[in-house]
Amino acid sequence: MPPVRRPNEGLLARVNFPLYSIEMLSSRHVLVAGGGGSAKTGVANGFEIYEIYHNGDRFVAEEIVRHETGPSVVMNCAVRSDGRRSFLVAGQESHCQMYHVNTKIIDESEGNMGKAGDGEEKTSVRQRRTSTRQNSGVEDVPGDPNRSMRRLSFDIKPGDSVQTDFLNREPIQRVVRLSLDCKLMATGGTDGRLRLWNFPRMTKLRDIAAHSKELDDLDFSPDGKLVVSIAKDGLGVIWDVATGKEAGTLSWQPPEGVKYLFKRCRFGVIEDKKDKCRLFTLTNPLGKSGRQRGFLQQWDPETGTLQRAIGVDESLSALSVRDDGRFVAIGTMFSGSVSICIAFSLQRVLYVPNAHSMFVTGLQFLPVLSSDGPAISSDSEAAVLSISVDNRVCIHSLQYRHTLPAWAAIILIVVILFLTFMFCSFMGL
C-alpha cells in the first residue's frame, strides 16, 4: 500500500483567483494561471510566479511576480526556453497570446521594485513577505527570513497574438503545447482542428481536420516528430509532424462495454532509452454520474498498443510526467486527490487524499534535468505541484523509499538457510 499524506502538509500558497494551468518557468520557479473570466465579478485574471525552495524542513514558496491580463482569463498555457530567452503562450478565448519572459536580478535590500506598465496588463514585483498582505489577495506560507535578498525575477511582456480557433459560435482555444526545441507550437480548440505553428514567428504550418468534436488535450513527443491529440469524439490520434498525416490511433477494449473518453495525454522519455518514449493517457467513462472508475494508461506510441493500465475509483482530471520519465502523477475529479506512480509499472507509490477541496486542474513535477540551474535540493525522491479551482497551490513529496539491495537480500537468504540447517542438525532432525 502506498504511503498516505495529510492534504494540508503540502499547502504552498493561496491565490485570489481560480487556477487552471501550471508550468515550470525554471528549475525552481513555477507559474500558475487562471482567473474569474470577463464578467465583472471582481475576480482577477492573470499569472502568479513563485520561487520554490526547501528550507531543510519543508518546501516553501515565495511570490515573485503577479501579472494581470485584464478581462481575459487564462485557461491554458505553455512555457519553453530556446536557450537565450523564455516564451509563455496562453489561451485567451479564441486567441493564443505570446509573452516574452525576461529575467532580471532584484536586490530587495535596496528596495528595487518592478513598475507596473500603463497598459491594460500589469506586472508587479513584490518584496518577500512573512505575513499576508491584504492588497495582494495572495496568502503565502511564511518563508525563511535568513534567505538572501538578491533573487531572480521576471518581466512578462505581451508579444504577438493569433486566432487559433474558428468555431462559428463561441470559439475557444482549449489547449496549447510547445515542442521541446521551442520551434513548434500546437493548438486545439472547440472546432476540432489541430493546428501546428512555426514558433516563435506564430505562422501557421499545418491545419489538420483531426476530430469531429472539441479537443481536450495534445502533446509533442520529446523529439518533436509526433504529436498526439484527444477529443470529445472519443478518439486518440498520433500525428506525424513532418507530413501532417495520421501515424497511429489509440484503441482499447473498455471494461463491460462502457464507453470511455480520453481526458489527458502526455509523452514521457524512457529512463534508460532516451531516444524512446512512452505515452500516457487518462480515460473516464462517458455520461456516468457519481464516482466512476477512471484509468491511467501507458502506450507504445510507435505501434499504438496499450501496454499497461491501472484503474482508479473515480474520474481523473490531471496528468503530469517528470522530465526524466521516472514518475507519473494523476489528479482526480471528485475528491481532489493526487497520486504519484512509477512510470514503468504504474505502481502507485504516494497517495494524497483530498489534497484539494475541488477537482485538480493541473499538475507539474519539480524538474530534475533542467538546464537553467540546479534542481531543488531536498530529502524527497520526487515532488509534484498541484492546483485547483479552490485557489490553492500545493506540493506533494515522495520520500526516498528504502529498499534492500539485491546482494544484501541474497546474503540474508543464505544466512537464514545456514542457520536453519544448523538448528535442524542440533535438534537431530
Side-chain angles (χ1 to χ4, degrees):
M1 182 177 178
V4 177
R5 299 280 188 270
R6 294 196 303 271
N8 288 332
E9 289 181 341
L11 177 62
L12 286 177
R14 292 185 180 94
V15 185
N16 65 341
F17 52 77
L19 296 172
Y20 298 106
S21 188
I22 179 170
E23 292 285 333
M24 292 304 299
L25 196 56
S26 75
S27 61
R28 56 186 61 237
H29 293 88
V30 62
L31 179 146
V32 295
S38 58
K40 296 181 179 180
T41 60
V43 180
N45 302 301
F47 311 102
E48 295 274 1
I49 297 177
Y50 291 91
E51 180 184 0
I52 299 175
Y53 64 93
H54 197 275
N55 65 5
D57 179 49
R58 56 184 170 83
F59 287 100
V60 177
E62 294 183 1
E63 183 193 3
I64 303 298
V65 173
R66 178 182 175 92
H67 182 95
E68 295 186 2
T69 56
S72 300
V73 61
V74 182
M75 299 295 294
N76 50 85
C77 68
V79 172
R80 197 69 73 193
S81 173
D82 65 359
R84 296 179 295 110
R85 50 189 173 169
S86 295
F87 298 96
L88 164 66
V89 288
Q92 297 178 357
E93 298 180 348
S94 64
H95 285 66
C96 185
Q97 173 70 55
M98 181 175 68
Y99 295 88
H100 299 276
V101 183
N102 301 312
T103 59
K104 59 181 181 180
I105 302 296
I106 298 293
D107 188 347
E108 294 179 343
S109 63
E110 299 178 0
N112 292 336
M113 300 287 290
K115 297 182 179 179
D118 298 329
E120 185 179 36
E121 300 189 354
K122 300 179 181 179
T123 302
S124 59
V125 180
R126 304 235 172 98
Q127 287 183 320
R128 177 165 61 252
R129 300 184 298 279
T130 57
S131 62
T132 303
R133 293 217 328 221
Q134 297 297 325
N135 62 344
S136 79
V138 178
E139 179 182 344
D140 291 328
V141 176
D144 183 356
N146 297 319
R147 292 262 293 163
S148 170
M149 298 299 287
R150 289 177 60 84
R151 67 166 65 209
L152 186 68
S153 188
F154 301 89
D155 266 338
I156 301 178
K157 296 182 178 180
D160 295 334
S161 176
V162 294
Q163 185 171 355
T164 61
D165 194 77
F166 295 87
L167 192 70
N168 292 331
R169 183 179 179 182
E170 297 182 358
I172 297 176
Q173 176 182 291
R174 294 292 309 278
V175 58
V176 58
R177 300 292 291 173
L178 294 173
S179 62
L180 198 60
D181 61 5
C182 205
K183 294 182 179 180
L184 292 173
M185 180 176 76
T187 61
T190 52
D191 64 5
R193 302 187 75 88
L194 166 63
R195 294 179 174 89
L196 301 178
W197 308 77
N198 293 302
F199 194 81
R201 297 195 304 272
M202 304 278 277
T203 56
K204 192 185 301 182
L205 176 65
R206 303 196 183 282
D207 190 336
I208 303 170
H211 298 273
S212 60
K213 294 184 179 180
E214 65 183 74
L215 271 75
D216 276 323
D217 204 6
L218 52 83
D219 196 29
F220 281 104
S221 61
D223 60 8
K225 296 180 180 180
L226 301 174
V227 62
V228 60
S229 63
I230 59 174
K232 286 185 167 50
D233 59 6
L235 298 179
V237 185
I238 301 173
W239 306 91
D240 186 298
V241 170
T243 63
K245 302 295 184 181
E246 181 180 312
T249 58
L250 307 179
S251 60
W252 66 298
Q253 186 61 43
E256 302 175 358
V258 178
K259 183 175 176 60
Y260 274 72
L261 295 182
F262 293 105
K263 180 66 176 179
R264 294 288 179 262
C265 57
R266 287 291 180 270
F267 282 100
V269 298
I270 299 178
E271 285 184 276
D272 54 347
K273 299 177 181 178
K274 297 303 182 182
D275 58 334
K276 301 289 185 179
C277 64
R278 301 185 183 101
L279 174 62
F280 300 91
T281 58
L282 302 181
T283 58
N284 294 323
L286 173 65
K288 297 290 184 179
S289 60
R291 293 192 178 187
Q292 299 295 323
R293 192 171 179 82
F295 286 91
L296 166 63
Q297 301 169 316
Q298 181 195 107
W299 304 80
D300 181 351
E302 294 183 354
T303 61
T305 56
L306 181 64
Q307 295 180 315
R308 290 178 181 83
I310 61 167
V312 180
D313 292 332
E314 63 176 300
S315 295
L316 302 170
S317 59
L319 173 66
S320 179
V321 183
R322 201 167 75 169
D323 57 352
D324 65 350
R326 188 175 181 184
F327 293 104
V328 178
I330 56 175
T332 65
M333 182 71 71
F334 292 97
S335 68
S337 302
V338 173
S339 297
I340 295 179
C341 303
I342 298 173
F344 169 73
S345 63
L346 301 187
Q347 175 189 356
R348 186 162 66 176
V349 291
L350 179 69
Y351 177 54
V352 186
N354 306 112
H356 294 272
S357 60
M358 303 180 74
F359 64 94
V360 180
T361 52
L363 296 167
Q364 197 70 236
F365 276 99
L366 293 184
V368 294
L369 300 177
S370 179
S371 60
D372 56 20
I376 299 175
S377 298
S378 73
D379 56 356
S380 303
E381 187 175 3
V384 66
L385 296 153
S386 66
I387 59 170
S388 170
V389 291
D390 66 0
N391 301 14
R392 294 170 19 126
V393 183
C394 299
I395 191 165
H396 319 285
S397 57
L398 173 66
Q399 302 303 310
Y400 281 99
R401 294 161 292 150
H402 300 289
T403 58
L404 196 64
W407 61 268
I410 294 173
I411 292 175
L412 181 61
I413 292 172
V414 171
V415 170
I416 291 173
L417 291 175
F418 175 76
L419 292 176
T420 302
F421 175 77
M422 294 296 293
F423 178 76
C424 292
S425 298
F426 178 76
M427 297 297 295
L429 299 177

